[in-house]
């Protein structure tokens, strides 16, 4: 009797999620994507979900809603959430400097980097370059040592130079430095810290790092006007040295758990973090739109403020839109980076917003 009840409960839950395959297939076919997945969030849960296309071009395996998608720079919001958890626990401070985090190396740092704070790194005001210098980037690609050691290589390679001007400059390396500061304070890898403080509390059990392996989609690079599948392995993602900026992969439902956390947080609800901490994460410096891992804009369909961000490691593309006033969100991902990926994902998001967002 109990088993029957549980089975009925699971079936009812599954039935409550509408299938997005129709609208997604229209977009996927129009733009020639290998695959496309999406989820719609309302009322604190996934209300619609779908995945269409192939795990890789040239293969017959179809994607499923349980497949994992690389989220690229959407990882930044997770790193910022991790830092916020550690700040609330008194383990880090928003005004902690790079010099404080690495006291043994601080004397060798340029004074500008020595004084840069965790908060300024997370809002892209740390003076960290948009692109890692070529020689240092090549060194990171050699992937020598553990991921933590590779991030230390980045710290040592950047911090001896003069930082850029005190102005906004979007920087993956800046988030890697923030992740390295958390590692130094907690003496644990960023990957482990993210699992402990963000993924596990949210029940994100199908989330991992770098390109997904096994029976999951492959990423596809856009080369000479066509999508080329890239097998899982070292070349399927950026080096671990900048992982805190963009290395997470997740299923749509796992990704939705994180998105719902921030949707609720933007509504003033306390879960994992205090309301005032969410407000800090979701607030952009004066004159800017970037908060900590989120872009904050106003959209009529959202009833005002919307939180968004996109991510790509050049072989995948993902985008999220959250509308706190409407208690609504949309997630879209494709296993193609470049070419038509961004336009297609935006088109899919727009179609889902048009159909599902409350008026």
């Amino acid at each position: 009797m109990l088993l029957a009840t549980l089975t009925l409960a699971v079936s009812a839950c599954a039935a409550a999620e509408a299938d997005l395959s129709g609208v997604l297939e229209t977009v996927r076919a129009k733009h020639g994507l290998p695959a496309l997945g999406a989820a719609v969030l309302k009322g604190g849960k996934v209300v619609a979900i779908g995945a269409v296309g192939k795990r890789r071009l040239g293969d017959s395996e179809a994607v499923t809603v349980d497949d994992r998608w690389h989220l690229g720079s959407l990882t930044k919001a997770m790193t910022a959430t991790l830092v916020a958890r550690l700040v609330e626990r008194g383990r880090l401070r928003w005004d902690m400097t790079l010099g404080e985090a690495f006291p043994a190396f601080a004397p060798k740092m340029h004074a500008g980097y020595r004084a840069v704070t965790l908060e300024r790194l997370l809002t892209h005001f740390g003076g960290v370059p948009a692109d890692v210098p070529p020689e240092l980037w090549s060194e990171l690609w050699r992937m020598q040592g553990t991921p933590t050691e590779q991030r230390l290589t980045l710290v040592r390679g950047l911090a001896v130079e003069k930082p850029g001007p005190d102005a906004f400059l979007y920087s993956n390396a800046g988030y890697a430095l923030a992740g390295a500061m958390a590692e130094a304070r907690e003496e644990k890898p960023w990957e482990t810290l993210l699992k402990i403080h963000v993924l596990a509390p949210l029940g994100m059990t199908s989330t991992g790092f770098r390109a997904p392996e096994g029976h999951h989609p492959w990423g596809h690079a856009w080369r000479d006007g066509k999508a080329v599948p890239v097998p899982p392995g070292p070349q399927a993602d950026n080096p671990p040295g900048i992982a805190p900026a963009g290395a997470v992969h997740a299923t749509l439902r796992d990704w939705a758990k994180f998105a719902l956390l921030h949707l609720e947080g933007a509504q003033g609800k306390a879960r994992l973090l205090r309301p005032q901490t969410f407000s800090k994460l979701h607030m952009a410096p004066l004159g800017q739109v970037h908060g900590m891992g989120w872009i904050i804009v106003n959209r009529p369909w959202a009833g005002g403020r919307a939180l968004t961000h996109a991510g790509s490691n050049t072989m995948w593309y993902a985008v999220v839109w959250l509308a706190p006033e409407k208690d609504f969100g949309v997630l879209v991902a494709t296993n193609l980076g470049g070419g038509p990926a961004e336009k297609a994902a935006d088109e899919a998001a727009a179609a889902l917003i048009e159909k599902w967002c409350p008026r």
Side-chain angles (χ1 to χ4, degrees):
M1 183 66 179
L2 177 60
L3 179 59
T5 302
L6 289 174
T7 301
L8 286 172
V10 171
S11 299
C13 180
E17 293 178 349
D19 184 5
L20 299 177
S21 297
V23 64
L24 294 181
E25 178 56 24
T26 298
V27 175
R28 187 207 67 78
K30 174 183 176 181
H31 293 281
L33 305 178
L36 184 64
V40 174
L41 317 177
K42 288 170 65 176
K45 62 183 180 181
V46 175
V47 296
I49 194 168
V52 297
K54 303 301 181 184
R55 287 177 170 166
R56 64 182 174 94
L57 291 179
D59 190 78
S60 61
E61 281 193 340
V63 293
T64 75
V65 293
D66 296 318
D67 279 352
R68 302 179 183 190
W69 307 80
H70 194 283
L71 303 182
S73 284
L74 301 179
T75 301
K76 290 180 173 68
M78 298 182 185
T79 294
T81 302
L82 163 63
V83 169
R85 294 265 285 164
L86 295 175
V87 167
E88 285 195 350
R89 283 158 175 71
R91 302 296 297 169
L92 293 173
R93 304 189 323 274
W94 294 117
D95 64 353
M96 179 175 283
T97 65
L98 198 64
E100 286 182 81
F102 299 98
F105 183 63
K108 297 181 181 179
M109 292 182 185
H110 186 282
Y113 269 117
R114 193 161 53 240
V116 74
T117 66
L118 195 52
E119 180 171 353
R120 294 188 75 76
L121 290 172
L122 294 174
T123 54
H124 301 288
F125 269 82
V128 185
D131 298 310
V132 177
E135 287 187 10
L136 182 56
W137 188 238
S138 295
E139 188 170 355
L140 292 180
W141 267 111
R142 286 194 282 272
M143 302 183 194
Q144 295 179 343
T146 66
T148 296
E149 290 169 340
Q150 293 173 48
R151 289 186 276 273
L152 283 174
T153 295
L154 183 66
V155 172
R156 295 189 180 106
L158 287 176
V160 295
E161 304 293 336
K162 181 181 179 180
D166 184 18
F168 175 84
L169 184 62
Y170 187 89
S171 175
N172 288 320
Y175 265 73
L177 296 186
M181 290 174 70
E183 291 178 320
R185 184 67 183 86
E186 295 298 281
E187 299 183 339
K188 290 184 177 69
W190 166 81
E191 292 85 352
T192 300
L193 293 173
L194 194 69
K195 288 178 182 178
I196 292 171
H197 295 287
V198 180
L199 305 183
L202 292 176
M204 295 174 67
T205 57
S206 298
T207 298
F209 304 98
R210 311 199 81 232
E213 299 182 350
H215 293 289
H216 294 283
W218 287 17
H220 292 70
W222 189 254
R223 297 172 184 159
D224 299 324
K226 63 180 181 179
V228 178
V230 180
Q235 303 302 311
D237 200 3
N238 287 308
I242 62 164
V248 167
H249 68 249
T251 61
L252 292 168
R253 289 192 178 90
D254 260 19
W255 182 14
K257 292 174 183 177
F258 181 77
L260 285 167
L261 172 74
H262 279 267
L263 182 58
E264 294 169 8
Q267 296 168 331
K269 300 174 185 176
R271 184 159 67 96
L272 286 192
L273 296 171
R274 301 167 188 150
Q276 57 267 38
T277 302
F278 280 116
S279 294
K280 189 174 188 70
L281 294 176
H282 300 160
M283 183 179 297
L286 186 64
Q288 302 297 325
V289 296
H290 280 267
M292 297 186 190
W294 294 98
I295 296 172
I296 301 92
V297 295
N298 283 301
R299 291 291 184 270
W301 63 263
R305 181 177 57 144
L307 306 180
T308 185
H309 211 288
S312 176
N313 71 344
T314 74
M315 290 160 274
W316 304 73
Y317 186 87
V319 65
V320 55
W321 283 93
L322 304 179
E325 294 300 318
K326 298 294 184 74
D327 194 24
F328 174 83
V330 166
L331 319 174
V332 179
T334 177
N335 57 339
L336 171 66
E342 180 177 354
K343 183 177 181 180
D346 286 347
E347 188 174 311
L352 296 176
I353 289 168
E354 175 66 24
K355 180 175 181 179
W356 289 90
C357 186
R359 302 300 179 190

